[in-house]
Amino acid sequence: MRLFPLFDRIIAIFGVISARRGAARAGAGGGVAALNFGHLKAQSRLPVFLTMILLFTYLCYCLSSRCDALPRPVFSSGAPEGGRLLGSAVPLLRKKFPQAIIIGVKKGGTRALLEFLRVHPDVRAVGTEPHFFDRCYDKGLGWYRSLMPRTLEGQITMEKTPSYFITKEAPRRVHALSRHTKLIVVVRDPVTRAISDYTQTLSKSPGLPSFQNLAFRNDSATLIDTSWSAVRIGIYAKHLENWLRYFPLSRFLFVSGERLVTDPAGEMGRVQDFLGLKRVVTDKHFYFNQTKGFPCLKKPEGSSRPRCLGKSKGRPHPQIPTEVLLRLRDFYRPFNLKFYQMTGQDFGWS
């Protein structure tokens, strides 16, 4: 039984070639006997076998080295559906952490701002509020990133969660993710904002006590209850101080909730500039809805009707006694002035 059938045949071929060469030399008078590789024993063929393995290994090494020198296709590790070839005709889609976040404030106009921004072709945003940096931080960055929309190169990923602005841990957590994150704060007259906040809660809990009973401590007509969230959120200077421990003022844009209603295109121009975007969203995109008392987006292409905010937006506010409003304005005035100084903007709240 032959041990190396393939190499037996190779050796036999070498034997025939050698025999022919030997015969030729003998005819020429050389008298040199031809070697007959075909009759070598298995022990003699073993060194030949090992030599050929070494040659074969060297040949494979040379070929693989040449392949390594050729350019390889590059894949994006961030692509959710496996890599897509860079430089190919297929656009590269990736899920990225947000480069800009609308961090506040509740009932300031954050939903309107986000909807207006989503008209821009270079903005992709999460529809729902992730609440990652306040409620869901323990779910991890992988979970957070999975919520993000897929974006093309050059597009901005955004999210909005208004409660970040008043959450003590949020600035440190956002900074840990990226100190380059752009932060947008939509602010509104704190008295009007508090009433709007109360109106929203009242719509969900009709048995809620009156606004004045919640705003004043122990039924007092002078002591404001700052533990009530509707009041506490409006102390903007206090919350901003917490954020400025981690981010410079240059990373913030403060949007006027009032001007977002009266001049949406102008305020959107500021936002687009801040984000480094071309001014695509302009006055041609808006019309004023008299019923809601709020600007709506004109009918987009392919849609049968204009795009307005939901029924929860633009609710009529309950009547609040004048003395309650005056007391609240007195309470907020020093905080407002400090906020103006900190931001370098006068929002004109009396």
Side-chain angles (χ1 to χ4, degrees):
M1 179 177 168
R2 295 185 181 275
L3 296 175
F4 311 103
L6 175 61
F7 289 96
D8 283 346
R9 296 186 64 183
I10 295 173
I11 291 171
I13 293 171
F14 281 136
V16 171
I17 295 172
S18 178
R20 289 180 179 176
R21 288 180 176 177
R25 289 175 181 175
V32 180
L35 294 175
N36 187 353
F37 283 88
H39 293 82
L40 290 176
K41 294 182 179 181
Q43 292 90 334
S44 302
R45 293 195 301 270
L46 184 58
V48 177
F49 170 71
L50 295 175
T51 302
M52 297 193 72
I53 283 186
L54 289 173
L55 290 172
F56 182 76
T57 303
Y58 179 73
L59 180 62
C60 290
Y61 172 78
C62 291
L63 290 175
S64 64
S65 297
R66 177 163 179 79
C67 289
D68 286 341
L70 295 175
R72 294 173 177 265
V74 180
F75 293 93
S76 165
S77 60
E81 301 171 349
R84 290 181 184 267
L85 205 59
L86 288 177
S88 67
V90 181
L92 179 65
L93 289 169
R94 298 174 56 195
K95 287 192 173 186
K96 298 178 290 187
F97 290 118
Q99 296 103 310
I101 304 176
I102 301 174
I103 61 172
V105 298
K106 180 183 178 184
K107 306 309 295 179
T110 58
R111 172 55 59 183
L113 176 61
L114 187 67
E115 291 304 312
F116 296 165
L117 273 171
R118 291 173 82 174
V119 174
H120 201 293
D122 289 333
V123 173
R124 296 297 309 279
V126 184
T128 56
E129 297 174 3
H131 283 281
F132 175 66
F133 295 105
D134 56 353
R135 303 177 191 171
C136 305
Y137 195 65
D138 58 343
K139 293 187 177 182
L141 291 174
W143 176 84
Y144 184 49
R145 185 172 182 169
S146 71
L147 302 179
M148 299 300 125
R150 296 181 181 90
T151 55
L152 297 169
E153 190 67 30
Q155 289 184 319
I156 292 178
T157 302
M158 293 189 65
E159 71 116 316
K160 77 112 179 165
T161 304
S163 54
Y164 290 162
F165 189 59
I166 64 169
T167 301
K168 183 179 179 180
E169 300 81 11
R172 173 178 55 81
R173 292 170 175 176
V174 175
H175 186 270
L177 176 63
S178 174
R179 60 189 178 89
H180 301 294
T181 305
K182 294 185 177 183
L183 307 166
I184 300 176
V185 190
V186 188
V187 290
R188 183 182 181 188
D189 182 335
V191 176
T192 310
R193 197 222 64 82
I195 297 171
S196 180
D197 197 337
Y198 170 78
T199 303
Q200 182 182 53
T201 307
L202 185 64
S203 69
K204 300 174 182 178
S205 305
L208 202 66
S210 67
F211 180 87
Q212 49 267 40
N213 285 344
L214 293 171
F216 295 100
R217 190 179 300 171
N218 300 325
D219 295 328
S220 168
T222 57
L223 295 176
I224 303 295
D225 190 355
T226 56
S227 66
W228 185 33
S229 63
V231 170
R232 188 177 69 254
I233 291 173
I235 309 174
Y236 303 141
K238 177 183 176 181
H239 306 305
L240 181 58
E241 282 179 342
N242 187 34
W243 281 89
L244 289 176
R245 293 189 181 102
Y246 296 89
F247 292 92
L249 194 63
S250 60
R251 305 308 300 176
F252 293 85
L253 177 70
F254 300 94
V255 176
S256 167
E258 287 83 10
R259 287 196 292 271
L260 200 58
V261 173
T262 59
D263 182 20
E267 209 64 5
M268 286 302 300
R270 293 182 61 241
V271 175
Q272 290 169 97
D273 291 346
F274 175 70
L275 295 175
L277 299 170
K278 183 179 178 181
R279 288 198 175 195
V280 171
V281 184
T282 61
D283 53 1
K284 69 180 181 181
H285 289 91
F286 301 99
Y287 78 97
F288 193 80
N289 186 305
Q290 296 292 343
T291 303
K292 282 183 170 290
F294 205 86
C296 294
L297 292 167
K298 291 181 180 178
K299 183 174 69 172
E301 292 183 11
S303 176
S304 59
R305 57 183 179 178
R307 208 164 80 202
C308 281
L309 297 177
K311 295 179 179 179
S312 63
K313 308 299 179 182
R315 297 188 189 96
H317 291 177
Q319 290 293 324
I320 307 297
T322 303
E323 59 272 19
V324 173
L325 297 179
L326 292 175
R327 181 67 192 93
L328 275 175
R329 295 202 180 281
D330 290 340
F331 167 77
Y332 279 121
R333 188 169 292 111
F335 296 110
N336 291 343
L337 292 174
K338 185 176 181 180
F339 185 65
Y340 297 168
Q341 292 173 348
M342 294 171 73
T343 61
Q345 292 180 238
D346 186 342
F347 292 90
W349 307 318
S350 56

